[in-house]
Structures are given as structure tokens and as C-alpha cells.
Amino acid sequence: MLLLLKINGISTVTKTDITASNGVIHKVDKVIGLPTVVTHALANPNFSSLVSALTRNDMPDFAGILSGTTNSPFTVFAPTNAAFSSLLTELNLPNLAAVPAATLENVLKYHVVAGANVLSTDITNNMNVTTFQGGTFKITTTGGVKITDANNRVSNVIATDVQCSNGVIHAIDKVLLP
């Protein structure tokens, strides 16, 4: 029995386990392209808090903006679920819904660099980064790649160079505050 399996929400697997001389093929009904930064975040359970924040009903259409090509490519410094949990503890808030809309909007924009696909190989020590929010943060590379936000809080870059069709994602372990 073939289970209905979709890839990137676009392509359905129509036949599985076709043996080839160098591996196995699974036949799909549509070409599978690279995901956008949004479809990757949606597919990665480690970013469910980020997705919840981006899609909160009182936020701009961040999913639409980050799925498109206007202002792209995007470099997204994506906080993990654990980073959001730590932020809520730090701010003594019960959940993401308790973060004021204006604050959350500024914070989310502060994690995005518009018009640049900044790979890890492009990052230099003491690099100043201007964000989509308009603020800046500093990246250092001594002892690992770290970001110091406008409040002198330090976040570690824990995964790099997740290439998407309209930008790149770097996972971080702390939510940056402008």
C-alpha cells in the first residue's frame, strides 16, 4: 500500500523503491524545487515558535514577504524554539501572544537581512550587519560565530548555510533584541 507522501507541499510520491545501479528512486509527480525560507521554516519543527511569531494575526504578512522575491535574497538568523522559550523566561512572559505586537514586529525584522544571501564564508570577525528593521548587530568569529545584539546579548550561530530559493537561513540559540 502506497501512503500519500508530499514533498515541500508540492510534489506527491507516486511510486517508491525503484532500484537503480547506484541507489533507489522514488517517483514524484512534480519537480521539487528548493524551498523558500518560509517553506523551510514551516517544515522544520525546531522553528515552530518562529513560525508562530511570524504568522501571528496582528503581524505584517511576514510569510508572504519572506516567500517572495521583493527585497530578496534574505538572510534569516532564525531563533530555535529553545531560544524563544528562553526569551519568554527572560521577559517573564507566559507565551508569544503576550509579547506586544510592535515589539514582536521589530524583533522579527531584526533577524532578517534583506537583499543579501550572506553565507558563513562571507562572515568576517567584527562584522556589522544592518537588518530589515533598520538596526544593526555585530558578528564575531572568535571561538565560534556569535551575534551581539543592540542590548549586548550574545547569541551563538548553531547551524549555517541552509540555502533556500530566495535566501539562506542560519539557526541561532537566542532571540536577538533591537
Side-chain angles (χ1 to χ4, degrees), residues 38 41-42 47-64 66-67 84 96 104 108:
V38 171
L42 285 168
F47 296 133
S48 62
S49 295
L50 175 61
V51 169
S52 293
L54 289 168
T55 58
R56 211 170 86 170
N57 65 1
D58 58 349
M59 289 293 102
D61 181 17
F62 285 126
L66 294 172
S67 292
F84 275 100
L96 280 173
L104 185 59
L108 293 171

Side-chain angles (χ1 to χ4, degrees), residues 61-85:
D61 181 17
F62 285 126
I65 293 166
L66 294 172
S67 292
T69 56
T70 304
N71 295 318
S72 73
F74 300 102
T75 299
V76 178
F77 293 91
T80 62
N81 294 339
F84 275 100
S85 292

Side-chain angles (χ1 to χ4, degrees), residues 143-161:
V145 179
K146 298 179 185 336
I147 299 172
T148 303
D149 67 19
N151 292 284
N152 287 319
R153 297 165 67 259
V154 178
S155 176
N156 295 294
V157 177
I158 56 174
T160 62
D161 298 339

